[in-house]
Amino acid sequence: MSRKTQQLAHDFLRKAHDAEIRLATAESCTGGLLAALLTDVEGCGHVFDRGFVTYEAQAKCDLLGLSRELVDRNAAVTEQVALAMAEAALARSQADLAVGITGFAGKCADDQEEGLVFIGCAANGLPTVARECHFGAAGRDVVRREALHAAFEMMDEMLRALIGQRND
């Protein structure tokens, strides 16, 4: 993992640790990389509650409880599915904040866009948000790394909102 990615993880985990915010992930195209990063900072690993790696559509249904109709109707790589993944990870964990990532990191079918990634972020008491990212045909490693960077940015924004909500 790049030094920048590791630093993003470190900085975010310290903030989550200091705010006593627990985390969960639901990942598809990143294959558990985000969960691995969230357990890498010594003294902060306890803020990570759990991760769901749901690479296949059926896994999203089995592990996260997404309806097959939602996945089939919208395809697995859509904003609706990313939002549902984040909300399901939050509901099926002890976390305060959860993220869902789904996308095409590498080569895909002709009618699909390589590098298209959707990220959903959910937190207790706040509206769930999503982001659509177009990283292009940059290759699996680059797309996954950029997806992680975007996820950390979104989680950091949600973390700040959660902290603000607690201070109100």
Side-chain angles (χ1 to χ4, degrees):
M1 206 48 54
S2 75
R3 191 167 210 143
K4 177 183 178 182
T5 306
Q6 290 173 332
Q7 190 63 52
L8 286 170
H10 183 271
D11 293 347
F12 176 74
L13 276 167
R14 288 284 175 207
K15 291 179 203 172
H17 173 270
D18 292 347
E20 298 179 353
I21 301 291
R22 300 210 42 178
L23 310 168
T25 62
E27 299 178 72
S28 184
C29 65
T30 50
L33 291 173
L34 181 58
L37 285 165
L38 293 174
T39 60
D40 269 355
V41 178
E42 191 170 332
C44 293
H46 65 280
V47 302
F48 181 67
D49 180 62
R50 68 191 73 185
F52 302 88
V53 178
T54 57
Y55 201 72
E56 291 290 327
Q58 189 59 46
K60 292 170 180 61
C61 302
D62 294 346
L63 295 176
L64 296 171
L66 274 59
S67 74
R68 189 66 204 209
E69 178 187 1
L70 171 73
V71 175
D72 288 345
R73 183 180 65 235
N74 293 293
V77 179
T78 59
E79 179 178 315
Q80 295 85 355
V81 171
L83 291 168
M85 288 172 68
E87 290 172 349
L90 187 65
R92 292 173 178 247
S93 70
Q94 301 301 309
D96 305 294
L97 188 157
V99 66
I101 305 172
T102 186
F104 300 113
K107 297 211 182 291
C108 48
D110 289 341
D111 63 338
Q112 299 165 331
E113 179 188 339
E114 186 175 346
L116 173 64
V117 176
F118 290 93
I119 305 168
C121 196
N124 291 327
L126 294 171
T128 304
V129 296
R131 183 173 295 169
E132 179 177 335
C133 304
H134 300 269
F135 300 121
R140 296 181 77 73
D141 290 342
V142 171
V143 171
R144 286 176 166 186
R145 183 184 67 237
E146 293 304 318
L148 293 172
H149 293 182
F152 277 120
E153 183 179 304
M154 288 182 72
M155 291 188 304
D156 192 58
E157 290 169 8
M158 190 68 80
L159 177 63
R160 284 187 272 129
L162 268 176
I163 292 168
Q165 178 187 59
R166 287 182 176 177
N167 293 333
D168 287 344

